[in-house]
């Protein structure tokens, strides 16, 4: 499935990664860890390495845990740093985020129409048999719907070769709804996040770029911006370890675009189901 969708994913990356700018805010991966039962404990790490006209590097780390059934807690750390292609102006920033929410796991239908159709078409064909390791480590099938409320704090800093510097601190409050579709060896996740971004501090020192200085001054009049973020994730692997492709798109207000934001974030990463690493392998197929 991932192989068939990869050309489309690559086209989206090229389409949305064609800017070169300095950012005062950039979206992270979104809270996409799929918790489905009590004691689930998941970790993910991702990096941005496929930007075409932008030298910024992104890194995102996330942890998710469910202490009791239907209760989910997630936290993340996001870091962005400019590359070395433009030594005149460089920048970096980071953001800490935490969220608490709930989830509901839905078992797959035992005998759906699509399953009947697949069996009918494949009745005359010899079924494919994956390697034993994969058969013993299939992921849990089903659909997960989750809801989160969260808060984040971050900062951005831009340095100039004139020894000037601009500095901003921000925080955001948000709500998020997610849909996650899991099969034996992969799946798809989508989340929609909506909230408010507020800049607490905007200062400069030394000689800075005039355009950037005007942006900082504009925050004195209005420092609060609404935002919407859509995150898409394709993942594949076994129950203990998966590889994923993540795309987050920021739909911001016109004022926020004028300020300077990164409207998209594409990352490649790994997802580790820590609790699954300590469970015994399955003795039979699902």
């Amino acid at each position: 499935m991932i192989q068939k969708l990869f050309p489309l994913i690559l086209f989206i990356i090229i389409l949305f990664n064609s800017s070169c700018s300095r950012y005062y805010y950039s979206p992270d991966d979104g809270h996409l860890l799929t918790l489905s039962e009590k004691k689930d404990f998941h970790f993910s790490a991702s990096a941005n390495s496929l930007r075409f006209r932008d030298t910024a590097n992104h890194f995102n780390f996330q942890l998710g845990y469910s202490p009791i059934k239907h209760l989910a807690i997630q936290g993340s750390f996001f870091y962005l740093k400019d590359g070395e292609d433009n030594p005149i102006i460089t920048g970096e920033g980071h953001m800490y985020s935490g969220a608490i929410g709930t989830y509901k796991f839905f078992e797959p239908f035992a005998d759906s129409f699509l399953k009947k159709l697949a069996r009918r078409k494949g009745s005359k064909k010899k079924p494919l048999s994956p390697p034993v390791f994969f058969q013993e480590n299939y992921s849990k099938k089903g659909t997960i719907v989750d809801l989160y409320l969260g808060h984040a704090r971050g900062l951005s800093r831009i340095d100039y070769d004139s020894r000037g510097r601009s500095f901003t601190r921000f925080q955001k409050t948000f709500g998020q709804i997610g849909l996650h579709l899991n099969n034996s060896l992969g799946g798809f996740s989508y989340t929609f996040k909506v909230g408010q971004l507020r800049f607490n501090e905007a200062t400069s020192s030394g000689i800075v770029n005039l355009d950037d200085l005007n942006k900082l001054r504009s925050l004195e009049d209005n420092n609060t911006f609404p935002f919407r973020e859509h995150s898409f994730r394709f993942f594949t692997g076994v129950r203990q370890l998966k590889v994923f492709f993540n795309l987050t798109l920021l739909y911001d207000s016109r004022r926020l675009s004028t300020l300077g934001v990164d409207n998209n974030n594409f990352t490649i990463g790994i997802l580790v189901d820590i609790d699954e690493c300590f469970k015994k392998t399955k003795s039979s197929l699902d």
Side-chain angles (χ1 to χ4, degrees):
M1 176 181 176
I2 296 296
Q3 293 179 345
K4 293 180 180 180
L5 291 173
F6 187 76
L8 176 61
I9 297 172
L10 186 60
F11 173 76
I12 295 174
I13 299 167
I14 298 173
L15 179 65
F16 287 101
N17 285 273
S18 58
S19 64
C20 184
S21 180
R22 297 181 294 283
Y23 304 130
Y24 292 92
Y25 172 75
S26 177
D28 57 12
D29 281 1
H31 294 283
L32 284 160
L33 298 178
T34 54
L35 305 175
S36 61
E37 61 184 5
K38 178 182 176 180
K39 301 301 182 183
D40 270 359
F41 187 24
H42 299 173
F43 168 79
S44 71
S46 61
N48 183 331
S49 59
L50 291 178
R51 301 183 73 83
F52 291 85
R53 298 182 185 178
D54 194 333
T55 58
N57 298 310
H58 296 189
F59 302 94
N60 206 124
F61 303 94
Q62 293 188 351
L63 277 174
Y65 180 63
S66 176
I68 61 175
K69 188 176 181 180
H70 299 310
L71 177 63
I73 302 172
Q74 293 200 31
S76 69
F77 173 73
F78 174 72
Y79 177 76
L80 179 149
K81 181 177 175 59
D82 284 345
E84 300 298 329
D85 289 355
N86 184 13
I88 298 177
I89 303 176
T90 60
E92 63 179 323
H94 65 259
M95 177 170 59
Y96 297 92
S97 178
I100 185 170
T102 186
Y103 59 83
K104 175 63 177 177
F105 177 77
F106 298 91
E107 296 280 356
F109 292 109
D111 210 13
S112 67
F113 170 77
L114 292 178
K115 287 185 178 180
K116 291 180 180 178
L117 184 62
R119 281 198 300 267
R120 192 176 304 165
K121 287 187 175 181
S123 59
K124 297 181 180 180
K125 299 179 181 179
K126 185 178 179 180
L128 296 175
S129 180
V132 176
F133 172 79
F134 289 98
Q135 295 183 33
E136 294 179 342
N137 292 282
Y138 278 150
S139 298
K140 187 177 181 180
K141 298 179 182 179
T143 301
I144 303 168
V145 177
D146 53 30
L147 293 167
Y148 286 94
L149 292 177
H151 185 76
R153 292 178 180 271
L155 62 85
S156 66
R157 188 186 72 203
I158 299 175
D159 295 312
Y160 306 83
D161 66 342
S162 59
R163 297 183 180 179
R165 172 178 291 180
S166 63
F167 183 86
T168 59
R169 289 186 184 275
F170 62 86
Q171 57 182 320
K172 67 175 184 178
T173 304
F174 60 87
Q176 176 185 290
I177 183 171
L179 174 66
H180 314 272
L181 309 176
N182 299 333
N183 60 28
S184 298
L185 292 173
F188 168 77
S189 292
Y190 165 75
T191 64
F192 174 65
K193 182 185 295 183
V194 60
Q196 189 177 79
L197 178 67
R198 181 175 180 270
F199 287 85
N200 314 63
E201 181 181 351
T203 60
S204 63
S205 61
I207 301 175
V208 303
N209 180 281
L210 180 60
D211 182 53
D212 292 342
L213 185 60
N214 290 332
K215 291 178 180 179
L216 295 176
R217 288 175 177 172
S218 70
L219 292 175
E220 297 176 0
D221 300 324
N222 195 332
N223 64 347
T224 302
F225 306 86
F227 73 90
R228 292 173 292 159
E229 294 174 6
H230 299 266
S231 294
F232 306 86
R233 174 173 291 181
F234 295 89
F235 54 91
T236 184
V238 293
R239 61 189 179 91
Q240 302 94 335
L241 181 67
K242 300 177 180 66
V243 177
F244 65 81
F245 303 89
N246 196 98
L247 176 65
T248 300
L249 304 177
L250 171 66
Y251 286 82
D252 53 287
S253 65
R254 185 176 301 176
R255 291 187 300 106
L256 190 53
S257 295
T258 303
L259 176 65
V261 295
D262 187 3
N263 287 296
N264 61 94
N265 176 19
F266 177 81
T267 56
I268 299 175
I270 58 171
L271 170 64
V272 182
D273 288 9
I274 299 175
D275 57 293
E276 292 289 351
C277 294
F278 298 96
K279 294 180 181 179
K280 294 181 181 181
T281 57
K282 300 178 182 179
S283 58
S284 60
L285 297 178
D286 291 337

